[in-house]
Amino acid sequence: MYYLGVDLGGTNIAAAVVDENYKILATGKTKTNLPRPETEIADAVFEAGILAVKNAGLSLNDIREVGVGTPGIVNPKTGMVCYSCNLDFKNTNLGALLEERFGRRVFLENDANAAALGEQLAGAGKGADDFIAITLGTGVGGGVILNGKILSGSNSAGGELGHIVIVKDGETCGCGRNGCWESYASVTALIRQTKAAMQKNKDSLMWSLVGGDINRVSGKTSFDAMRMCDEAAKQVVKEYCDYVACGLTNIINIFQPDVLCIGGGISKEGETLVAPIREYVEREKYSKNVEKQTIIKAAELGNDAGIIGAAFLGNIYR
């Protein structure tokens, strides 16, 4: 039995054929090429999906279900993307557009929720009924699964965990609020924090790591310099981990999941990232005296999480 999952991103559209054991058999990829009309985006999603099917040596008739994870506020029941700033969707019936092309029902969900489902099915949250996946990237994404079901709220806009405020009147966030967790815990924020530390510490090893060009700073710069015992980098990493942990503590206090995983490219740091976060949370969380505790770990599936989760959306919404 085969499933088709698609991850619709702002830069790339990635699709894969997945078998019933959550194994990816073949992939297809194309550029999103924004900005462009919604109909052309739907064409590109279909193109990536068909390419994956062909690369698997199959036809659409062999595919049981099609699922797509997309940025934005998504109503899985109607297939409507109520709003997506990245794709410039406003009340866009993406589900209907895709169903016209695939000739069958297409299940839609927010991309962070799809990634959380993928990790719950086949990755860090396997076997956990109550599970949360956090993605640290350009922003901070979150997917919440409670009692085996995706939590999206009464209006499909729930689970926007990056927009809890951790610093009153703090940094301005892209959402319009000040002090959002995303403004401090995203990789975008880490890069900004790294650059600020470099400006204050002209002798920091971080400068040599970027060849003297501050525009080459990445999310790895401070972590790499920290491993070289650079004091300024150590402080950047500590403060960044504290910001991430502050938000995670709030989330754990609210939801008390069995497992919480941290994904995104920065999660490749593994225990270098997770260990200090875990220590902070253990110290600060409300439930420290309760026998059962949330397990905090790095995500396991990387970019495959969203595709695998999308492929199996029909199990939830069929």
Side-chain angles (χ1 to χ4, degrees):
M1 195 172 296
Y2 305 108
Y3 302 80
L4 179 64
V6 183
D7 183 14
L8 170 54
T11 303
N12 297 302
I13 301 170
V17 174
V18 186
D19 70 14
E20 57 192 359
N21 297 313
Y22 313 122
K23 180 181 178 181
I24 290 179
L25 303 181
T27 61
K29 190 174 183 180
T30 188
K31 293 291 184 181
T32 315
N33 288 332
L34 299 177
R36 58 172 164 169
E38 58 197 36
T39 53
E40 292 184 14
I41 293 174
D43 288 339
V45 170
F46 180 69
E47 176 187 337
I50 289 299
L51 181 59
V53 171
K54 288 182 177 178
N55 287 341
L58 302 171
S59 72
L60 265 180
N61 291 332
D62 299 309
I63 302 299
R64 180 182 180 187
E65 287 173 351
V66 179
V68 177
T70 176
I73 299 172
V74 182
N75 186 329
K77 296 179 181 178
T78 64
M80 187 76 70
V81 181
C82 304
Y83 177 68
S84 176
C85 57
N86 293 337
L87 301 175
D88 196 27
F89 285 168
K90 294 178 181 177
N91 294 319
T92 299
N93 199 334
L94 183 61
L97 291 173
L98 293 176
E99 286 170 2
E100 288 176 8
R101 288 155 177 77
F102 282 101
R104 65 183 65 200
R105 183 177 179 188
V106 176
F107 297 93
L108 255 65
E109 186 45 279
N110 169 269
D111 53 356
N113 289 342
L117 180 60
E119 286 285 352
Q120 191 231 12
L121 291 173
K126 193 171 184 178
D129 288 332
D130 297 324
F131 173 70
I132 294 177
I134 300 296
T135 303
L136 306 177
T138 304
V140 173
V144 180
I145 297 176
L146 298 179
N147 296 319
K149 296 182 179 181
I150 294 172
L151 176 69
S152 55
S154 63
N155 57 1
S156 304
E160 290 293 338
L161 302 180
H163 299 288
I164 58 173
V165 169
I166 64 168
V167 179
K168 184 179 181 297
D169 299 325
E171 298 279 354
T172 300
C173 180
C175 76
R177 298 187 79 189
N178 292 323
C180 285
W181 188 33
E182 178 173 294
S183 298
Y184 295 87
S186 63
V187 174
T188 303
L190 173 59
I191 291 171
R192 185 181 68 249
Q193 293 155 10
T194 302
K195 289 179 177 179
M198 290 169 63
Q199 295 284 18
K200 292 179 181 178
N201 298 273
K202 296 296 185 179
D203 59 346
S204 169
L205 291 173
M206 291 186 284
W207 283 103
S208 63
L209 289 177
V210 298
D213 183 359
I214 200 167
N215 293 317
R216 291 177 56 196
V217 169
S218 71
K220 281 179 54 61
T221 303
S222 59
F223 279 87
D224 288 343
M226 176 198 68
R227 283 185 278 270
M228 299 167 68
C229 298
D230 182 82
E231 292 301 322
K234 287 181 182 179
Q235 188 61 29
V236 171
V237 171
K238 181 186 182 305
E239 290 184 357
Y240 175 72
C241 288
D242 283 353
Y243 284 133
V244 175
C246 178
L248 291 185
T249 303
N250 293 339
I251 290 164
I252 289 172
N253 283 349
I254 295 167
F255 295 107
Q256 299 296 336
D258 298 311
V259 179
L260 184 150
C261 81
I262 303 170
I266 198 73
S267 68
K268 294 178 181 178
E269 294 290 341
E271 283 299 300
T272 303
L273 172 75
V274 176
I277 289 172
R278 192 182 291 122
E279 181 180 343
Y280 180 109
V281 174
E282 290 298 318
R283 184 177 67 248
E284 297 285 336
K285 65 186 176 184
Y286 181 76
S287 59
K288 61 174 69 72
N289 295 316
V290 178
E291 182 178 354
K292 185 175 181 180
Q293 298 291 338
T294 298
I295 297 169
I296 302 173
K297 59 169 71 172
E300 297 177 2
L301 300 181
N303 293 332
D304 292 341
I307 291 175
I308 294 173
F312 290 90
L313 286 172
N315 288 353
I316 293 179
Y317 298 120
R318 189 186 311 109

